[in-house]
Amino acid sequence: MDGVLIHEEVALPGAKEFIGRLQEQDKEFLVLTNNSMYTRRDLSARLADVGIDVPEERIWTSAVATAQFLSNQVPDASAYVIGEAGLKTALHKVGYTLTDTDPDFVVLGESRTYSFQNITQAVQLIDQGARFVATNSDATGPSPEGPLPATGSVAALLTEATGQEPYFVGKPNPVMIRSGLNRIGAHSESTAMVGDRMDTDVVAGIEAGLTTYLVLTGSTSRDELTEFAYRPDDVVESVAELVETI
């Protein structure tokens, strides 16, 4: 989503046309984001504000993927959550109880209001036996002022304090991709991943067996491609170059 369709609340070149062509051709698709703060309805509205029509059922967040993963592993369990409405809503929808008393899991997501009190409680609950899961491993997130500490950074703090590594569900874990494929009834052989980050989008697509496209409207620049041991199937300036391929 960010870096491919929008950037700082502005639609990127070709984004509206790209989504429109997918819909015109009745192509199954999902818009992915590792951001776990917002509900799918919120993100659909955010895209609509810049003229991109994506219904909420076409949005797949690390929060929704994490909730589905947990529900598949241990149905109707309980969790202590550090995160925002997107993560809490997703867990409620799969039947999870949110509690700070003897939870089955500590689930960490992105927030703009991480508190020492919440982090301390998470450390104590993990130490008491709660299993540790995080929505994604991104260490920083973007803001107009510069990078902000994100889920991966707080996860590192909890790991240092507890000795427990979390299970990260979001990109680059192909679990998020495969769960998305299952949601829309797609097969890896006939599906493409379009992303702006080599270390999350492209590697996740490669590991899930998808065709991969890197767009240069986000995090990874063309000069940085040689830093990685893997390559996308194609590199384009923006999704505008992909409209005619659909």
Side-chain angles (χ1 to χ4, degrees):
M1 182 169 166
D2 290 291
V4 176
L5 300 179
I6 59 174
H7 177 66
E8 294 184 2
E9 312 310 318
V10 176
L12 288 166
K16 182 177 180 180
E17 293 78 9
F18 180 74
I19 295 296
R21 179 63 65 87
L22 289 171
Q23 294 167 334
E24 289 167 10
Q25 298 291 325
D26 291 325
K27 299 291 186 182
E28 294 291 344
F29 73 93
L30 290 173
V31 173
L32 273 64
T33 177
N34 260 357
N35 190 322
S36 65
M37 289 198 301
Y38 304 107
T39 66
R40 291 188 290 172
R41 180 174 296 181
D42 293 336
L43 294 172
S44 177
R46 181 181 167 201
L47 289 169
D49 286 343
V50 296
I52 304 173
D53 178 24
V54 179
E56 61 181 281
E57 63 269 17
R58 292 289 186 183
I59 296 175
W60 195 243
T61 72
S62 64
V64 175
T66 298
Q68 180 174 297
F69 171 80
L70 289 172
S71 179
N72 290 341
Q73 296 295 311
V74 186
D76 303 318
S78 61
Y80 176 71
V81 177
I82 298 178
E84 302 295 340
L87 181 55
K88 293 175 181 178
T89 299
L91 287 165
H92 274 307
K93 284 187 175 180
V94 299
Y96 261 53
T97 301
L98 307 190
T99 180
D100 59 3
T101 303
D102 193 27
D104 298 297
F105 295 92
V106 166
V107 184
L108 173 67
E110 191 167 351
S111 177
R112 293 291 179 264
T113 57
Y114 291 119
S115 75
F116 186 76
Q117 179 180 351
N118 289 341
I119 291 170
T120 299
Q121 182 132 39
V123 168
Q124 294 168 351
L125 292 171
I126 293 169
D127 190 58
Q128 292 164 16
R131 286 157 283 183
F132 184 18
V133 172
T135 56
N136 63 292
S137 59
D138 296 21
T140 61
S143 81
E145 294 78 30
L148 297 172
T151 310
S153 295
V154 179
L157 187 160
L158 291 174
T159 294
E160 187 68 21
T162 63
Q164 298 297 314
E165 296 272 354
Y167 183 77
F168 293 107
V169 176
K171 301 176 294 181
N173 190 340
V175 163
M176 181 173 176
I177 311 304
R178 293 193 183 106
S179 62
L181 290 172
N182 291 337
R183 175 57 64 98
I184 60 175
H187 298 284
S188 58
E189 296 85 356
S190 57
T191 304
M193 161 69 86
V194 181
D196 71 302
R197 288 187 62 151
M198 287 288 288
D199 58 346
T200 55
D201 304 321
V202 171
V203 71
I206 289 171
E207 291 182 1
L210 313 185
T211 301
T212 54
Y213 293 91
L214 177 73
V215 296
L216 301 175
T217 47
S219 295
T220 303
S221 68
R222 192 180 295 275
D223 292 341
E224 292 173 316
L225 285 172
T226 56
E227 298 175 10
F228 298 90
Y230 48 88
R231 294 293 297 268
D233 290 289
D234 200 2
V235 180
V236 295
E237 292 298 324
S238 72
V239 289
E241 295 185 32
L242 298 177
V243 174
E244 296 303 319
T245 68
I246 300 170

